Amino acid sequence: MDYTSLPLKRLAEQFERMPGVGKVSAQRMAFYVLGLTPDEAKNFADAITDAVSKLHRCSICQNLTEHDTCPICENIKRNKSIICVVGTVQDLMAVEKTGEYDGVYHVLHGEISPLNGIGPDDLTIKELLNRVKNEAIDEIILATNSDTEGETTAMYIQRLLKPFELKVTRPAYGIPVGMELQYADNITLGRAIEGRQIF
Amino acid sequence: MDYTSLPLKRLAEQFERMPGVGKVSAQRMAFYVLGLTPDEAKNFADAITDAVSKLHRCSICQNLTEHDTCPICENIKRNKSIICVVGTVQDLMAVEKTGEYDGVYHVLHGEISPLNGIGPDDLTIKELLNRVKNEAIDEIILATNSDTEGETTAMYIQRLLKPFELKVTRPAYGIPVGMELQYADNITLGRAIEGRQIF
């Protein structure tokens, strides 16, 4: 893009660094910002610096929060004896959105991936084990992804949890609701048959 | 989205207001920001406030600039006797990108659109006429869009320019380079035949 002014160019470059944003979208976003009032622009700018400066990990579950503990850990209605272990805060949000889960979480902040140099010590597995040791936990749901990294992470944690004699579960994998059987991929269909349930 | 922390929610909402950004993209962008260092976040925030506070219209051509006049008007290599009239700064950037134009510009900041309550006085037409009166202009290229608003604007300005006995032109409309003839729409093909040139 031939930006004739430096502040506009700089702004578009900032947007262009974001995931899924190309040159054209970045330009459109920069011109959107130019249409903001100084107050609106300040709010936008503050939202960016606030998110980075105010958010840190919940001292219990490692979810992001601006307080010492997150609203889920602080909620007395949540069942503290079930921990759903997820890779990222986005995964936590996806489970929350279902409205089906009333337990608490543990965010690993990654999954074991030797190819990317991410080992167990880079995740919050130690913190999870401390919770298992010190809290009254009945069940751990290992809701890591179903790809290689996620499966590896789940198996690694499962092994560490064995001495505690807990109920350790994994979400059901099968045909997505609404999908026609013929369009399910082999691995998913295989898992669905393997994990079949009484009707 | 079920954001469990307010700063994250606020940030995602800011992104969601941008054109072409949905809930899912906004969430991804918010998490991208969380991955920035405090310095990077500050640069991003400053780029937003700077663009709004520092940019204003060039006193000659109405392009956006942080100085009194824009780099194009200040460039001694540009031909000051040809003015390309465009609707928006984005249009100016599109013409610049071609590398084919060495004249200067005039940005109208809109096009006449009675339906949207935009009349000639909302545009920088007065400023254009002042330039025509006071500068040594040979040609005006009316490069407004080819839709109703753009055509109306071009015709309106053309009428105002008649007393000055200038060369007033409009970009050629025709078949896009690389497009097969059979796929061109009727109006475009009609214009292409009408505007045929000696081979």
Side-chain angles (χ1 to χ4, degrees):
Chain A
M1 290 296 161
D2 293 48
Y3 290 99
T4 59
S5 81
L6 203 57
L8 193 58
K9 183 170 189 268
R10 267 201 222 111
L11 180 58
E13 280 169 357
Q14 289 288 348
F15 285 127
E16 210 183 315
R17 281 187 208 142
M18 297 198 297
V21 179
K23 273 185 194 301
V24 177
S25 309
Q27 185 193 327
R28 211 163 24 163
M29 289 170 184
F31 277 97
Y32 156 81
V33 169
L34 286 185
L36 298 178
T37 65
D39 276 353
E40 286 169 340
K42 196 184 169 297
N43 285 342
F44 194 170
D46 287 349
I48 289 171
T49 46
D50 280 1
V52 172
S53 66
K54 289 188 180 165
L55 289 177
H56 47 252
R57 295 180 181 183
C58 165
S59 62
I60 301 172
C61 77
Q62 314 296 322
N63 180 17
L64 291 172
T65 175
E66 40 181 340
H67 308 291
D68 179 52
T69 51
C70 79
I72 297 173
C73 287
E74 273 170 13
N75 188 340
I76 51 163
K77 286 181 185 159
R78 304 293 293 232
N79 182 349
K80 303 291 194 301
S81 68
I82 307 184
I83 296 178
C84 178
V85 177
V86 289
T88 65
V89 177
Q90 289 99 311
D91 294 334
L92 179 156
M93 283 167 57
V95 178
E96 276 299 278
K97 225 172 81 182
T98 66
E100 295 285 332
Y101 181 66
D102 73 339
V104 290
Y105 293 91
H106 191 86
V107 183
L108 296 172
H109 289 283
E111 291 180 340
I112 297 170
S113 174
L115 283 175
N116 295 309
I118 302 168
D121 293 344
D122 299 313
L123 312 179
T124 62
I125 296 176
K126 207 184 294 172
E127 289 83 351
L128 175 64
L129 292 177
N130 279 336
R131 290 178 73 181
V132 172
K133 276 174 201 157
N134 300 320
E135 299 172 26
I137 310 294
D138 291 332
E139 179 179 352
I140 300 273
I141 307 172
L142 294 173
T144 51
N145 285 322
S146 58
D147 56 10
T148 318
E149 286 83 7
E151 294 282 0
T152 307
T153 310
M155 283 194 287
Y156 182 87
I157 297 175
Q158 184 197 28
R159 225 175 43 207
L160 292 177
L161 291 175
K162 258 186 189 147
F164 298 99
E165 288 180 7
L166 290 165
K167 186 172 165 191
V168 177
T169 58
R170 195 125 167 72
Y173 291 101
I175 305 147
V177 177
M179 186 192 242
E180 287 180 49
L181 210 83
Q182 58 178 324
Y183 299 125
D185 66 277
N186 285 341
I187 298 171
T188 300
L189 192 53
R191 286 250 210 162
I193 300 287
E194 196 186 314
R196 65 193 176 279
Q197 299 183 336
I198 290 162
F199 193 58
Chain B
M1 291 295 161
D2 293 45
Y3 290 98
T4 59
S5 81
L6 203 57
L8 193 57
K9 184 170 188 269
R10 267 199 223 113
L11 180 58
E13 281 169 356
Q14 290 287 350
F15 285 127
E16 212 184 312
R17 281 187 207 142
M18 296 199 297
V21 179
K23 273 184 195 300
V24 176
S25 308
Q27 186 193 325
R28 212 163 23 162
M29 290 170 184
F31 277 97
Y32 157 81
V33 169
L34 287 184
L36 299 178
T37 64
D39 276 351
E40 287 169 338
K42 195 182 170 299
N43 285 342
F44 194 169
D46 286 348
I48 289 173
T49 47
D50 280 0
V52 172
S53 67
K54 290 189 182 164
L55 289 178
H56 48 254
R57 295 180 183 183
C58 167
S59 62
I60 302 172
C61 77
Q62 315 295 323
N63 180 17
L64 291 172
T65 175
E66 41 180 340
H67 308 292
D68 178 52
T69 50
C70 79
I72 297 172
C73 288
E74 274 170 14
N75 188 339
I76 51 161
K77 287 182 186 159
R78 305 293 292 231
N79 181 349
K80 303 290 192 304
S81 67
I82 307 183
I83 297 178
C84 178
V85 177
V86 289
T88 64
V89 176
Q90 289 98 311
D91 295 334
L92 180 155
M93 283 167 57
V95 178
E96 277 298 280
K97 226 172 81 182
T98 66
E100 294 287 331
Y101 181 65
D102 74 339
V104 291
Y105 294 91
H106 191 85
V107 183
L108 295 171
H109 289 284
E111 291 180 341
I112 296 170
S113 174
L115 285 175
N116 296 309
I118 301 169
D121 293 344
D122 299 313
L123 312 179
T124 62
I125 296 176
K126 207 184 295 171
E127 288 83 353
L128 176 64
L129 293 178
N130 279 336
R131 291 178 72 182
V132 173
K133 277 173 203 158
N134 302 320
E135 298 172 27
I137 310 294
D138 291 332
E139 179 178 353
I140 301 273
I141 306 172
L142 294 173
T144 52
N145 285 322
S146 58
D147 56 10
T148 317
E149 286 84 6
E151 293 282 0
T152 307
T153 309
M155 281 194 288
Y156 182 87
I157 296 175
Q158 185 197 26
R159 226 176 40 205
L160 293 177
L161 291 176
K162 262 189 188 145
F164 298 99
E165 289 180 6
L166 290 165
K167 187 172 164 191
V168 178
T169 58
R170 195 124 168 73
Y173 291 99
I175 305 147
V177 177
M179 186 191 242
E180 286 180 48
L181 209 84
Q182 57 178 325
Y183 299 124
D185 66 277
N186 284 341
I187 297 171
T188 301
L189 192 52
R191 286 247 210 164
I193 299 288
E194 195 186 315
R196 65 194 179 279
Q197 299 183 336
I198 290 163
F199 193 57

